[in-house]
Amino acid sequence: MPNELQKRDRAVNWHPYTQMKTADDAIPIVKGKGVYLFDNEGKKYIDAVSSWWVTLHGHANEHIAERVYSQLNTLEQVIFAGFTHEPAIQLSENLLKLLPDNQEKVFYSDNGSTAVEVALKMSIQHAYNQGKSKTKILAFKDAYHGDTFGAMSVSGRSIWTQPFGEMLFEVIFIDTPNSENLEELKIRIEDFADDVACFIYEPLIQGAAGMLVHHAEDLSKLMKFCREKEIILVQDEVFTGFGRTGKLFAANHLSEQPDIMCFSKGLTGGTMPMGITTCSEVIFNAFLSDDKYKTLFHGHSFTANPLACAAALASMELLLQQDTQLAIERISQQHTDFTKILQQHEKVENVRQMGTILAWELKTDQGTSYFNETGKKIYNEFLSRGIIMRPLGNVMYLVPPYCITSEELDFIYENIIDVLNLFLKMK
């Protein structure tokens, strides 16, 4: 029977990615600390997916909380048109020092989708301001860049976007590059390159598509070709940024630099909503003019919110500490060691890892799909064991906070094998 909080929740709330008619009652969480979340009945759960991939340093991090509290007592919000403040200036300065050398300017928004929307508008208007018409967009098949209309348009067409299909703008979708298809991709792009405003891509790993991995060398070659064709490169690091791939950014794996970059999720350590779009001087300069109509007309009420900036600054300080960098290396190595065990299990296929991200597929007779019914069974089984995992259908994955200990990871691994064996018996 649902408890009082669940009844109240069901009466008023509409949850994301949830069929409310058939969904189980949401679990009321009353507090979090480190890798753990605690429900209203005192049960604790290891947050093995960092609460939708955002919580870098664990829940209720004291360092971030203190910085936000201090900022809250100083300045909580100010319009960012015509005004500025120290946290936004400092955050931009600190972030740009970590990014590829060509990134020069920072534009603030409030989530990953809006960071992508800004990037698309920058790319299209970059050409428009120079008297050119370049309105086509190039993207990967199975891409996911967000749920607003522009972000949906550049995401792979699926059942998720089907109700809005006729309202989404035209996008040219291509396969992710590999050694066998790279030349074919170049030939295809060549046919319409003059009309393409930008190429937007998730570097190295496509998260929502099922943690699909492609290689840095192949992506770098494709990026170089697109740059030669004067196609703007938009790198969506909303998921891959801030250490997830084993390096600070996926950009650190690549030999080519993007023109525009998008960030959110781990940006504030999962503390507050914030989006950032950075760009090169070349992009920025196309908007500098005595003609006011060449302005980038985009903004949000909470653009560069001082509290979110303070959280991001504190999170970045933690990220750059030696202890955190060593933790990322440790988690990555533990994942690597565990893949050897996973690969031997007869219920597992397609094991892949990128830094602190580990994914694999549970073999079922339904094939690999977000709507594979096994996903809910897996989810509930892990919840019963005090572990939060949110499978993408039959695709299972781990994206833990960096504060997780080796013992806590081993506990998760042990339960993964137990669950796999359980499903093996059920076949």
Side-chain angles (χ1 to χ4, degrees), residues 174-187:
I174 61 172
D175 292 323
T176 51
N178 56 52
S179 58
E180 296 179 355
N181 70 5
L182 186 58
E183 293 307 314
E184 181 182 338
L185 291 178
K186 290 179 181 180
I187 293 171

Side-chain angles (χ1 to χ4, degrees), residues 20 31-32 64 74 107-108 197 200 254 267 270 309 320 347 403:
M20 296 300 294
K31 70 175 182 178
I64 299 176
T74 305
F107 193 100
Y108 287 94
I200 184 168
L254 302 168
L267 174 59
C309 288
L320 296 176
K347 201 67 178 173
C403 61

Side-chain angles (χ1 to χ4, degrees), residues 111-320:
N111 62 64
S113 280
T114 55
V116 167
E117 298 281 348
V118 171
L120 295 174
K121 291 175 74 172
M122 281 181 179
S123 301
I124 293 170
Q125 193 174 343
H126 174 268
Y128 180 88
N129 283 358
Q130 299 176 83
K132 302 175 184 178
S133 178
K134 300 181 73 171
T135 58
K136 293 186 184 299
I137 308 293
L138 185 66
F140 284 145
K141 294 177 182 176
D142 300 318
Y144 176 78
H145 296 286
D147 292 330
T148 50
F149 268 83
M152 272 200 300
S153 293
V154 295
S155 298
R157 302 297 195 263
S158 67
I159 196 70
W160 295 355
T161 60
Q162 189 171 318
F164 320 104
E166 295 183 1
M167 304 173 73
L168 304 180
F169 57 73
E170 179 186 355
V171 173
I172 301 162
F173 291 104
I174 61 172
D175 292 323
T176 51
N178 56 52
S179 58
E180 296 179 355
N181 70 5
L182 186 58
E183 293 307 314
E184 181 182 338
L185 291 178
K186 290 179 181 180
I187 293 171
R188 186 173 175 216
I189 295 170
E190 182 92 49
D191 290 339
F192 45 74
D194 292 343
D195 299 318
V196 176
C198 69
F199 167 37
I200 184 168
Y201 53 93
E202 298 158 276
L204 306 185
I205 185 163
Q206 295 178 284
M211 302 295 172
L212 304 178
V213 175
H214 52 277
H215 298 295
E217 181 180 359
D218 299 320
L219 179 58
S220 294
K221 290 177 180 178
L222 184 60
M223 291 168 65
K224 182 178 181 180
F225 177 79
C226 287
R227 170 161 285 113
E228 291 170 352
K229 299 301 174 181
E230 298 184 351
I231 296 172
I232 292 172
L233 300 171
V234 178
Q235 188 153 305
D236 180 351
E237 294 235 21
V238 168
F239 173 40
T240 57
F242 306 103
R244 288 299 184 196
T245 65
K247 297 188 178 184
L248 283 180
F249 302 98
N252 299 119
H253 295 272
L254 302 168
S255 59
E256 294 296 317
Q257 296 180 332
D259 302 294
I260 298 174
M261 301 181 73
C262 304
F263 305 96
S264 188
K265 289 197 180 291
L267 174 59
T268 67
T271 307
M272 290 185 169
M274 172 172 271
I276 278 181
T277 308
T278 65
C279 70
S280 67
E281 199 79 39
V282 172
I283 301 297
F284 180 74
N285 285 344
F287 294 81
L288 292 182
S289 175
D290 293 325
D291 182 353
K292 64 181 180 181
Y293 296 114
K294 291 188 176 181
T295 301
L296 178 62
F297 291 108
H298 192 100
H300 299 267
S301 301
F302 290 95
T303 293
N305 172 258
L307 300 177
C309 288
L313 282 164
S315 177
M316 204 175 300
E317 288 172 0
L318 292 173
L319 177 65
L320 296 176

Side-chain angles (χ1 to χ4, degrees), residues 246-415:
K247 297 188 178 184
L248 283 180
F249 302 98
N252 299 119
H253 295 272
L254 302 168
S255 59
E256 294 296 317
Q257 296 180 332
D259 302 294
I260 298 174
M261 301 181 73
C262 304
F263 305 96
S264 188
K265 289 197 180 291
L267 174 59
T268 67
T271 307
M272 290 185 169
M274 172 172 271
I276 278 181
T277 308
T278 65
C279 70
S280 67
E281 199 79 39
V282 172
I283 301 297
F284 180 74
N285 285 344
F287 294 81
L288 292 182
S289 175
D290 293 325
D291 182 353
K292 64 181 180 181
Y293 296 114
K294 291 188 176 181
T295 301
L296 178 62
F297 291 108
H298 192 100
H300 299 267
S301 301
F302 290 95
T303 293
N305 172 258
L307 300 177
C309 288
L313 282 164
S315 177
M316 204 175 300
E317 288 172 0
L318 292 173
L319 177 65
L320 296 176
Q321 288 180 358
Q322 184 179 21
D323 286 349
T324 305
Q325 292 301 304
L326 290 175
I328 290 172
E329 292 179 13
R330 172 180 54 79
I331 294 167
S332 300
Q333 185 58 55
Q334 278 190 259
H335 280 353
T336 299
D337 294 341
F338 183 56
T339 60
K340 298 171 185 176
I341 298 173
L342 273 179
Q343 287 168 340
Q344 296 175 12
H345 200 284
E346 61 181 289
K347 201 67 178 173
V348 171
E349 60 187 353
N350 298 331
V351 181
R352 57 263 194 194
Q353 182 207 349
M354 176 69 64
T356 66
I357 306 163
L358 174 63
W360 64 98
E361 291 164 33
L362 185 66
K363 292 180 183 177
T364 75
D365 56 9
Q366 298 177 39
T368 297
S369 166
Y370 179 83
F371 296 100
N372 189 307
E373 295 176 2
T374 306
K376 185 175 182 180
K377 296 177 183 178
I378 297 171
Y379 174 71
N380 287 330
E381 180 61 33
F382 277 100
L383 281 181
S384 71
R385 296 163 178 258
I387 301 170
I388 299 175
M389 290 181 66
R390 188 179 169 86
L392 298 162
N394 63 309
V395 176
M396 302 171 67
Y397 68 89
L398 294 177
V399 186
Y402 302 148
C403 61
I404 196 167
T405 65
S406 296
E407 293 74 21
E408 288 161 342
L409 265 180
D410 285 338
F411 173 77
I412 294 172
Y413 295 154
E414 290 168 6
N415 277 275

Side-chain angles (χ1 to χ4, degrees), residues 32-37 47-61 64 242 244 264-272 315 399-404:
K33 189 61 182 174
V35 297
Y36 292 101
L37 290 167
D47 188 356
V49 295
S50 297
S51 287
W52 245 340
W53 321 341
V54 301
T55 307
L56 296 189
H57 311 293
H59 297 280
N61 182 276
I64 299 176
F242 306 103
R244 288 299 184 196
S264 188
K265 289 197 180 291
L267 174 59
T268 67
T271 307
M272 290 185 169
S315 177
V399 186
Y402 302 148
C403 61
I404 196 167

